[in-house]
Amino acid sequence: MQYMIVLFLLFLIQFSIASSCLAVNSEQQQEFAEEGWNRFPDSMRKEVQDTFLCCGFNLTSVSSNDPSCELIQKECCSGIAGNCQCPPCLYKLEDKINYAFKLCGGLGIFFSFTEFIGVWLTVRYRNQKDPRGLPSAFL
């Protein structure tokens, strides 16, 4: 009985988290991503900026005199004359963030329903008679 209760509670928690991942709209995704960006250590931010050739997270956080963006600006603007600025990382990461939310939500829904099937099977077969034992004996 405890197994069934624990499995059902796991189903409820996982289903609610997966549903919320699928229900998040793009504005909320940007807010979550910006909050995560602000909590990143500087070394991780620099690594992301180097990988995606972007500077800062969004337009308000990009500054032209940021020392961490100077090298990235040179790489972004190589071969381009005039006033060139690297795009903010939000625009480069937007598709990947959306994909991650949808993937987590989809996998969570899939595995939560397999847990629900486990609960159903537990309820269905928990009181089966043992064919080797006494006819009145239950498992």
Side-chain angles (χ1 to χ4, degrees):
M1 185 70 168
Q2 289 103 357
Y3 171 74
M4 187 173 54
I5 292 170
V6 168
L7 199 58
F8 185 71
L9 289 175
L10 283 174
F11 161 75
L12 288 177
I13 292 168
Q14 192 168 7
F15 183 78
S16 63
I17 291 172
S19 299
S20 64
C21 279
L22 291 173
V24 172
N25 63 23
S26 62
E27 291 85 23
Q28 292 169 332
Q29 287 177 2
Q30 290 176 5
E31 289 175 17
F32 290 143
E34 186 169 11
E35 183 67 30
W37 180 268
N38 293 335
R39 292 179 186 223
F40 270 179
D42 290 339
S43 61
M44 281 186 112
R45 278 190 231 158
K46 179 154 178 31
E47 188 175 327
V48 169
Q49 291 174 355
D50 290 341
T51 303
F52 291 101
L53 290 177
C54 57
C55 188
F57 184 72
N58 55 20
L59 290 174
T60 59
S61 68
V62 174
S63 66
S64 58
N65 57 4
D66 188 359
S68 66
C69 289
E70 288 178 16
L71 294 173
I72 299 167
Q73 289 286 0
K74 289 178 185 175
E75 289 182 38
C76 281
C77 299
S78 63
I80 300 175
N83 189 9
C84 173
Q85 283 194 325
C86 287
C89 292
L90 172 65
Y91 301 122
K92 298 270 186 153
L93 298 174
E94 201 168 22
D95 291 337
K96 290 162 184 46
I97 293 168
N98 188 29
Y99 176 74
F101 269 97
K102 300 306 180 209
L103 181 68
C104 290
L107 285 174
I109 292 284
F110 173 76
F111 285 113
S112 67
F113 278 114
T114 58
E115 288 171 2
F116 187 73
I117 291 170
V119 170
W120 177 76
L121 289 172
T122 303
V123 169
R124 172 81 172 90
Y125 294 111
R126 75 181 182 144
N127 289 327
Q128 289 255 320
K129 287 185 182 181
D130 185 3
R132 299 170 291 162
L134 298 171
S136 63
F138 286 92
L139 289 176

